[in-house]
Amino acid sequence: MLIFEHARPGRRNYSQSPAAATKTDGIPQSLLRKVPLLLPEVSEMDAVRHYTRLSQKNFSIDTQFYPLGSCTMKYNPRACNSLAMLPQFLARHPRAPESTGQGFLACMYELQEILKDVTGMAGVSLTPMAGAQGELIGIAMIRAYHESRGDTARNEIIVPDAAHGTNPATAVMCGYKVVEIATDKEGDVDMDALKAAVGPQTAGLMLTNPSTLGVFEKNVAEMSRIVHQAGGLLYYDGANLNAILGKVKPGDMGFDVIHINLHKTFSTPHGGGGPGSAPVGVAERLLPFMPVPVVASESGIYRWLTEKDIPQSIGRLSAHMGNAGVLLRAYVYVRLLGAEGMHRVADFAALNANYLMAELGKAGFEIAYPTRRASHEFIVTLKELKEKTGVTAMNVAKRLLDKGYHAPTTYFPLLVPECLLIEPAETESKETLDAFVVSMKEILEEAHTQPDMVKGAPYSTPVRKLDDVKAARELDLAWKQPEEPV
Amino acid sequence: MLIFEHARPGRRNYSQSPAAATKTDGIPQSLLRKVPLLLPEVSEMDAVRHYTRLSQKNFSIDTQFYPLGSCTMKYNPRACNSLAMLPQFLARHPRAPESTGQGFLACMYELQEILKDVTGMAGVSLTPMAGAQGELIGIAMIRAYHESRGDTARNEIIVPDAAHGTNPATAVMCGYKVVEIATDKEGDVDMDALKAAVGPQTAGLMLTNPSTLGVFEKNVAEMSRIVHQAGGLLYYDGANLNAILGKVKPGDMGFDVIHINLHKTFSTPHGGGGPGSAPVGVAERLLPFMPVPVVASESGIYRWLTEKDIPQSIGRLSAHMGNAGVLLRAYVYVRLLGAEGMHRVADFAALNANYLMAELGKAGFEIAYPTRRASHEFIVTLKELKEKTGVTAMNVAKRLLDKGYHAPTTYFPLLVPECLLIEPAETESKETLDAFVVSMKEILEEAHTQPDMVKGAPYSTPVRKLDDVKAARELDLAWKQPEEPV
Amino acid sequence: MPFIPHTEEDIQAMLASIGAKTIDDLFDEIPPALKGGSLKQVPPALSEMEISRLMLERAETDGRYLNFIGAGAYEHHIPAAVWQITTRGEFYSSYTPYQAEASQGTLQLLYEYQTMMASLTGMDVSNASMYDGASALAEAALMAVRSHKSSRRILMPATVHPIYRSVVRAIVKNQGIDVVEIPYCRESGQTLPESLDAFDKEEFAALVIPQPNFFGVLEQVDALTDWAHHKNALAIGVVNPMALALLNPPGEWGAKGADVAVGEGQPLGIPLSSGGPYFGFMACKQALVRQMPGRIIGRTTDQDGKPGFVLTLQAREQHIRRSKATSNICTNQGLMVTAATIYMALTGPEGLRRIASQSHANTLTLLEKLEGLKGVKRIFNGSVFHEMVISLPGPAGDILRTLKSQQILGGLNLEDYYPELGSAILVCATETKTPADLENYVGYLGQAITA
Amino acid sequence: MPFIPHTEEDIQAMLASIGAKTIDDLFDEIPPALKGGSLKQVPPALSEMEISRLMLERAETDGRYLNFIGAGAYEHHIPAAVWQITTRGEFYSSYTPYQAEASQGTLQLLYEYQTMMASLTGMDVSNASMYDGASALAEAALMAVRSHKSSRRILMPATVHPIYRSVVRAIVKNQGIDVVEIPYCRESGQTLPESLDAFDKEEFAALVIPQPNFFGVLEQVDALTDWAHHKNALAIGVVNPMALALLNPPGEWGAKGADVAVGEGQPLGIPLSSGGPYFGFMACKQALVRQMPGRIIGRTTDQDGKPGFVLTLQAREQHIRRSKATSNICTNQGLMVTAATIYMALTGPEGLRRIASQSHANTLTLLEKLEGLKGVKRIFNGSVFHEMVISLPGPAGDILRTLKSQQILGGLNLEDYYPELGSAILVCATETKTPADLENYVGYLGQAITA
């Protein structure tokens, strides 16, 4: 039932409604609203009950194992939430003077410094509000850099075929042509393809490392050399930073710019699809182009750097300074981890991924890159299973929901057929992984003995398999009041 | 799975663990713990996940209609929770000086004044921590009153047979004999029985009005006259105060002492079985015996009254001043209601109860007192249904769980066979009541057509019908570590 | 090892299964030369107790002020239920609802949100949110260019929030899109329809129309919308959603209604929180739905015919369409939209109307009182919603600092954005301000300007 | 009409179904003379926004202090997860789990709680909680009298919390039960086993044994327990549960172990909150389980053989047994126990041990520093856990007031409770105190005593 279906005309929630205003004559009649406002008329209790019950229809980290490759679904510490929501932090207006936000700005400044250290970069700006916006900003800086040197013929960005869709989409948004290069059998970028692709037209290369295939690009130093030699810059997509946190710094690999998905590596909540946050880090030569604002510390006083301080800045990308509350959560998280804890993130993310890969291999699943170490994630391909039984990766994913697990990422990266991209994250225990393997084995068995049952999954979720095609064909994007009142 | 079964030896939650102490030599060896401490060794995420999932196995007001007679399960406004949990309120030590608690004490003082007004009493003490403790304190004051007058022969408390079990149990705890009197066919106390029971041995009468039969004792004024004439005092059990809030004041009915269940009438949360809170109100003559502390206001400064101020006080009943945080929640609630809102509580509690009684009557259910108005609750008796189909009140209650409703109170009061005591509370909407009637009708139909199915209910809850007898015979009250580690 | 559940025994058993000796072996494909993660700027771990104390102290350093700043972020009361429900683990810690059957909570809520926003803006459809108001406006500009085909120019009034204008420029410039500014009227503070005559010869993909505008002033939206349509440009409304409880929504502007409505969703239950996370909203006419970026939820049925909700029109999105996507956007601001949806359900239409009209009334009351102060003047004569520009008889910066010492944030100093206005501040009084608050403000301002 | 969902239409339809004209008609059985509910002391309704502002201002009035008071309520860090989960609607707004199938969340949690408390106290079984520590002690006394049959006397050391002693007296006196006090040793602050010789001729139902006692001092629990058993009395331990992470639990005291353990559960994750709600705990030997008041949860199976949990041994309780019940208790402190259970799961055995030992270490460190101040002395030489009595060289009340002006609550003034100790205060330093906090305390105290 929709919230609108709980509503009745004239029902009101009095506690949330101020007294009627006496002065309403300030707005010309012609500008006043005449059409009805379709918000639900419900009591406070009915709203609370409705949304509490809705919440229970979600899978989440707080209730299920969520081995969703490329998304880094790790535990979101509850302290990060409550400390970012201290009343004074919540009440602070974004345009309040800096002198009224020294506590907040201290956290932001320290977070910048920590992220610089972790990534090996010379500067960090916290403003990007999501990974894709971090990419946009990063590529815009690359463009600004080339333009500042009068190097305006560079109009191509190179992207491996295993990359996230955001990479090519971002390059286009920055006015670039996309050159896609292939992956070799081992899961690395095809070096010959890279060499063939670079040239005076190359503005840069966007790379995710470890890649979305779950392996570390062994030739990254060589790639850096090739691209830099051609005059291009290297962009590091931080989606998989969790795999190498405290092990390898992107700056040391030769990258010029990076975005860091705080909602992955730094455990800020995914929130059912956001808010994210993706600070960008830059090497020395890109410092003049950083987006504003950036926090500076001057004799113990914190202040925002603006266009006045960074005149070549690519500008502002959000109305204020990005997702401040998310940044506070990340700050609390890094302080809880500390240096030692940060080293261990990658250790145990890798241990969990390699263990789960080994165990699933032993259980009879085909590993896409069996000769490679898993990074923090790895790929299982069900090509053969599908050929033998008709059961697809999607069927297995849905059947996992019945077993109480969120599904792994399916059909990404696109180049591995019938793939499941599995990322357990470091916060899961061995028992959880073992229980997951048991369920995966059961499904494998079911696929062979009762394939139709598996294809019909899920059975235990609030709804069964939903009709996507109907959704797209018969668009129903907003509820309409029935002609007869309910 | 129990939290202990998620545990592994050596697992730790580092963020919740201070550094090891360097000074531990202050405790003699002989007094140190030698036996192991069986707390679960789990990660923070596993604890969060375990208890979040456990919570989802509960019915609650925030998720279900809860027509539980005599419990007044109304909406618990979320603001009451968050405002009682403001950091300064939470951090305040109970023995901190009064000067550091003037904000808190202002709320307590105003709550006292409001409760005096609502009950028509001369004084209120906020200390009792639950209804049964309120009763204990009330009867102790009656006893102290008689004793202060040298009237020590009074050794009986009269209690109607429809009363809550706490009433007779309390009287005994205060050293009284209990005299139970009968109920007449209309659901009122049998006046002849009362007359026969009173005498020089009568210390007092405990009365719930409206009674647990869901009707208003019409003869309450006469009862008051009879008991007072015999030298006894009148105790008002506030369990059903919600039915008359703002309509009739217990003081005006002649009661000398009253307890008020804040967790019912004033909407503080039931919390899965507590904390409750039950301030006591007293008439003039019992003022000298009030439990301490009580809040006083002296030229705008608030302070606690102690034994020094009330030397004949029956004393202290809690280590500090009762359930302060619950009292804060009640204070916020009364301010949100205001005087007008408080009048309306009884109006709509009565409207919902009488409507539901009428509709269930029309649907074919037998109403226990069909000639009477319902107070805020009423009784359905399934005696005939049981005779015809074998389906009991308990079966119907369990079947309601399958329909998504909490069950009404069953088998209470004891004098009505196969009874369901139904209290919808004022915060439920007509649609919810209508949907409940539909489900009740379905169950009635099912009882006639598929009685065994109804007897097997519930089917959709996390567990099916539980074996109470086994639980009591083969007592298993604490988990034991298996010999072999799990 | 905070948040790592592994016991020593677990580690050994796992390594044995993998066939590795140490955890370091798992990183043996990384060239040794690259390794070396020593972290000098990262302090040692704090316990939760320690970081809690630190954050509490920092929050207390920042204090609490009586706030009269608006300028795109507005202080409204947020019902306690909103965030108590929003931060439930099932909303807070869930991912994007790609697995629809395991995400019906989020999906249904987003469908309800889309319904509410479509009604609030008077549009046919809404997406499931954008990053913030400024970036939503930039995406609307890109959308207009995509759908227009022949023009890559956007007309932008100078009454649009100055930072929104910067953000639009930063986002669209690399695609060769021009943003052309329209000057405002110094008397009314509006974008006069007459001022558009200057642009009558050129082609534009869209005209942006703020309502209320950055000065708090109400624009002549009907005439502006009709002009855009007459020019075959899209009309993009950039609106305060709270104001729409009182104001004619973009879908009703002019003869045909605006084509796209965007704005900052923060007033709908999102705390000020130093500027974020907030959420942008975007709604449009049905005809444009396939050009709309961001996630969109559709209602459909499951295989038993039961209604359910899914992400739909994903073919527009980057994870399917890659370099041909409508936008690179992936994340939205789901959790913020969760809060906003609950906020709108808790206030309902009448509650929202009253919050808006009390904000309006407070601002008018404050204005009256301020005009009683010597040297304080309202700068523009256009009608306002809940914000206004006033000129001060002394340096705005100094006066605001004096107010701050009384725990009052008196407004936004406009000197950086509109130096031509002299010593001017933008002041907002929402429903949160009591009569005593307004008196305090006026009293202390009176002292500050004579000091 | 806050929290009333009825529309005018609903009201009319409902009255029509009932056959009543007005809502007032529904009250027609109430004698008119009794009616008249005008409420003069109840102010008009506030909106949530208004009450929020009021409460925020009152909370700020009360401020925040650096607190060194213990005396039965102890400041410990509470992990954020504890109350975020505890206040989830499903725990917060559910009733007593009488309908077991619809309450497995609460029931399983309580079973886990019973397991934890039984282990912490070294007892066989625990109930599901009592109101608070003081009333739990009173109930233990009643339980002892019930099981003893021939004596109605309880031996109570003067080292037991003075208010606990008052509460016990208030609760048991009407049942003709005597509470007999044992004096304490002025040197050690303990209840000396020798002092019991004076009572060797009399019969007692129970001896109460505090650990640590009100002075923070550790008692000679083994000897005291053995004396009680030698006298055929029950040994009732009244203990701080946090201390039990380090200390030998009551179940291990003496040759046979104490019979009942009670105490205040507040240190386990419950905020100080001006004194409540807290929760009392009670655990006992198996043989006494049927004498134990309060709710008890048992594990059983459902009709499919699946494990599940129910309220058990209800035949002891008032709603079944009425005047013959073991107690009149009905409500427990379920929500507080929810928090405590989550707290213990989050800290685990090692975390709890460290919190206890850091509290102990901080108190010892503070003591050392205090003894460096002229005129400040430790009064008792018995070992302490995390609290101690010190004597001051001037009036305690004045000195504490001076400290308060520095935002420090320096301890509890003992003059009302133990006037024989002179100017003495009870001071506690838990794990929440940093070295700097301890320095501040000592520094300001030094100034206060020389002022």
Side-chain angles (χ1 to χ4, degrees), chain B residues 172-410:
Chain B
V172 168
M173 278 191 78
C174 289
Y176 284 114
K177 238 180 77 187
V178 175
V179 179
E180 211 169 80
I181 54 174
T183 300
D184 71 17
K185 275 186 197 159
E186 287 280 280
D188 290 315
V189 165
D190 183 321
M191 292 301 283
D192 293 333
L194 176 63
K195 284 176 200 152
V198 296
Q201 78 289 2
T202 302
L205 165 72
M206 296 180 86
L207 192 71
T208 308
N209 191 21
S211 75
T212 63
L213 300 171
V215 300
F216 191 88
E217 292 282 358
K218 286 176 299 214
N219 305 315
V220 62
E222 173 66 3
M223 291 165 80
S224 161
R225 205 189 47 77
I226 292 170
V227 175
H228 281 140
Q229 217 157 40
L233 297 188
L234 260 81
Y235 184 93
Y236 184 89
D237 178 330
N240 290 347
L241 185 64
N242 207 54
I244 58 165
L245 193 64
K247 287 280 159 190
V248 184
K249 298 182 181 185
D252 295 345
M253 292 191 257
F255 287 93
D256 301 288
V257 53
I258 171 179
H259 83 263
I260 307 150
N261 299 94
L262 296 183
H263 48 288
K264 297 182 180 180
T265 309
F266 292 93
S267 199
T268 64
H270 283 85
S277 182
V280 286
V282 294
E284 208 74 44
R285 58 180 142 186
L286 290 180
L287 280 174
F289 310 104
M290 291 231 287
V292 286
V294 171
V295 191
S297 166
E298 287 161 6
S299 21
I301 306 287
Y302 300 97
R303 73 169 185 95
W304 294 118
L305 298 182
T306 67
E307 294 86 343
K308 289 179 191 160
D309 305 286
I310 310 178
Q312 286 181 278
S313 167
I314 59 153
R316 288 179 186 267
L317 277 295
S318 73
H320 307 291
M321 62 134 309
N323 287 336
V326 179
L327 297 165
L328 279 174
R329 284 171 173 79
Y331 174 72
V332 173
Y333 180 71
V334 297
R335 296 302 305 269
L336 284 167
L337 284 189
E340 271 306 282
M342 216 163 304
H343 287 301
R344 277 169 176 141
V345 163
D347 281 347
F348 289 89
L351 181 65
N352 274 1
N354 281 282
Y355 174 69
L356 195 53
M357 180 169 82
E359 292 289 311
L360 286 175
K362 290 173 199 170
F365 285 92
E366 184 180 345
I367 307 300
Y369 298 97
T371 63
R372 301 293 302 266
R373 294 285 187 203
S375 59
H376 63 325
E377 62 190 355
F378 63 93
I379 299 179
V380 161
T381 170
L382 301 177
K383 187 161 170 275
E384 216 186 294
L385 184 72
K386 185 184 170 193
E387 281 162 10
K388 281 193 189 150
T389 66
V391 168
T392 65
M394 187 55 79
N395 299 149
V396 171
K398 298 295 182 200
R399 186 66 186 141
L400 272 169
L401 304 181
D402 284 333
K403 309 268 182 189
Y405 298 104
H406 195 278
T409 298
T410 53

Side-chain angles (χ1 to χ4, degrees), chain D residues 34-180:
Chain D
L34 298 182
K35 287 194 207 171
S38 110
L39 302 175
K40 295 202 172 54
Q41 299 306 315
V42 189
L46 298 180
S47 68
E48 187 185 304
M49 177 180 81
E50 292 164 325
I51 184 72
S52 299
R53 175 89 177 256
L54 177 69
M55 295 301 278
L56 214 60
E57 284 169 2
R58 287 192 173 166
E60 281 171 2
T61 301
D62 289 356
R64 285 178 68 93
Y65 293 82
L66 185 64
N67 171 55
F68 289 87
I69 312 178
Y74 300 97
E75 185 181 355
H76 292 289
H77 171 67
I78 303 175
V82 171
W83 285 92
Q84 289 187 39
I85 298 176
T86 299
T87 55
R88 283 171 59 85
E90 300 95 319
F91 283 135
Y92 187 78
S93 76
S94 63
Y95 192 66
T96 304
Y98 289 128
Q99 288 291 339
E101 298 83 359
S103 315
Q104 287 295 298
T106 290
L107 285 164
Q108 180 175 332
L109 183 141
L110 290 174
Y111 177 85
E112 293 178 359
Y113 163 81
Q114 291 175 180
T115 304
M116 294 178 191
M117 293 313 293
S119 171
L120 202 53
T121 57
M123 291 287 168
D124 298 319
V125 291
S126 161
N127 73 7
S129 79
M130 316 292 286
Y131 305 139
D132 72 354
S135 64
L137 180 57
E139 288 285 345
L142 295 176
M143 185 174 160
V145 168
R146 275 197 304 277
S147 76
H148 192 273
K149 314 267 190 289
S150 63
S151 171
R152 295 181 83 76
R153 292 158 65 85
I154 303 290
L155 254 183
M156 175 80 76
T159 58
V160 169
H161 194 307
I163 295 180
Y164 281 38
R165 286 181 275 141
S166 304
V167 171
V168 171
R169 257 183 255 111
I171 291 179
V172 306
K173 70 174 171 209
N174 289 331
Q175 296 188 48
I177 296 170
D178 279 345
V179 178
V180 179

Side-chain angles (χ1 to χ4, degrees), chain D residues 211-263:
Chain D
Q211 183 74 326
N213 67 25
F214 181 69
F215 301 135
V217 170
L218 299 177
E219 298 273 9
Q220 299 175 35
V221 291
D222 294 325
L224 297 174
T225 304
D226 288 342
W227 184 87
H229 287 155
H230 146 79
K231 288 282 298 169
N232 200 27
L234 293 190
I236 299 172
V238 50
V239 286
N240 177 336
M242 180 60 76
L244 296 185
L246 296 183
L247 298 181
N248 213 20
E252 303 291 321
W253 293 351
K256 296 195 295 177
D259 304 280
V260 185
V262 295

Side-chain angles (χ1 to χ4, degrees), chain C residues 268-344:
Chain C
L268 302 173
I270 312 300
L272 290 170
S273 192
S274 286
Y278 295 170
F279 72 95
F281 59 88
M282 177 182 276
C284 69
K285 291 287 167 77
Q286 189 74 39
L288 288 168
V289 63
R290 285 183 163 75
Q291 290 301 337
M292 184 157 59
R295 295 190 186 126
I296 299 176
I297 313 306
R299 182 155 64 164
T300 182
T301 48
D302 78 356
Q303 63 189 73
D304 297 337
K306 201 170 155 185
F309 304 87
V310 295
L311 287 167
T312 192
L313 297 180
Q314 293 190 71
R316 302 162 300 119
E317 290 187 61
Q318 49 73 28
H319 66 283
I320 307 281
R321 228 172 137 77
R322 303 181 70 85
S323 64
K324 298 195 174 54
T326 52
S327 160
N328 74 335
I329 283 180
C330 173
T331 307
N332 61 13
Q333 303 280 107
L335 199 67
M336 303 295 121
V337 166
T338 305
T341 306
I342 299 172
Y343 176 84
M344 288 188 276

Side-chain angles (χ1 to χ4, degrees), chain A residues 147-338:
Chain A
E147 282 176 359
S148 76
R149 294 155 47 98
D151 194 358
T152 51
R154 299 185 180 273
N155 66 343
E156 286 183 5
I157 291 283
I158 303 173
V159 175
D161 59 359
H164 285 106
T166 46
N167 290 179
T170 298
V172 168
M173 277 192 78
C174 289
Y176 284 115
K177 237 180 78 187
V178 175
V179 179
E180 211 170 80
I181 54 174
T183 300
D184 70 18
K185 275 186 197 158
E186 285 281 279
D188 289 316
V189 165
D190 183 322
M191 293 301 284
D192 293 333
L194 176 64
K195 283 175 198 151
V198 295
Q201 77 289 1
T202 301
L205 165 72
M206 296 180 85
L207 192 71
T208 307
N209 190 20
S211 76
T212 63
L213 300 170
V215 300
F216 190 89
E217 292 280 359
K218 286 176 298 215
N219 305 314
V220 62
E222 172 67 2
M223 291 166 79
S224 160
R225 207 188 47 76
I226 293 170
V227 174
H228 281 140
Q229 216 158 42
L233 298 188
L234 261 81
Y235 184 92
Y236 184 89
D237 179 329
N240 290 348
L241 185 64
N242 207 54
I244 58 164
L245 193 64
K247 287 280 162 189
V248 184
K249 298 182 181 186
D252 295 344
M253 292 191 258
F255 287 93
D256 301 288
V257 53
I258 172 179
H259 82 263
I260 307 149
N261 298 95
L262 297 183
H263 48 287
K264 297 181 180 180
T265 308
F266 293 93
S267 200
T268 64
H270 284 84
S277 181
V280 286
V282 295
E284 207 74 45
R285 57 180 143 186
L286 290 180
L287 280 174
F289 310 105
M290 292 232 287
V292 287
V294 171
V295 191
S297 166
E298 287 161 4
S299 23
I301 306 288
Y302 299 97
R303 73 170 184 94
W304 293 119
L305 298 181
T306 68
E307 294 86 342
K308 289 179 191 161
D309 305 285
I310 310 177
Q312 286 181 279
S313 167
I314 59 153
R316 289 179 186 267
L317 277 295
S318 73
H320 307 289
M321 61 133 312
N323 287 337
V326 179
L327 298 166
L328 279 175
R329 284 171 174 80
Y331 175 72
V332 173
Y333 180 71
V334 297
R335 296 302 305 270
L336 284 167
L337 285 189

Side-chain angles (χ1 to χ4, degrees), chain A residues 397-415:
Chain A
K398 298 294 183 199
R399 185 66 186 141
L400 272 169
L401 304 181
D402 284 332
K403 308 268 182 189
Y405 299 105
H406 195 280
T409 299
T410 53
Y411 301 103
F412 177 81
L414 307 172
L415 53 130

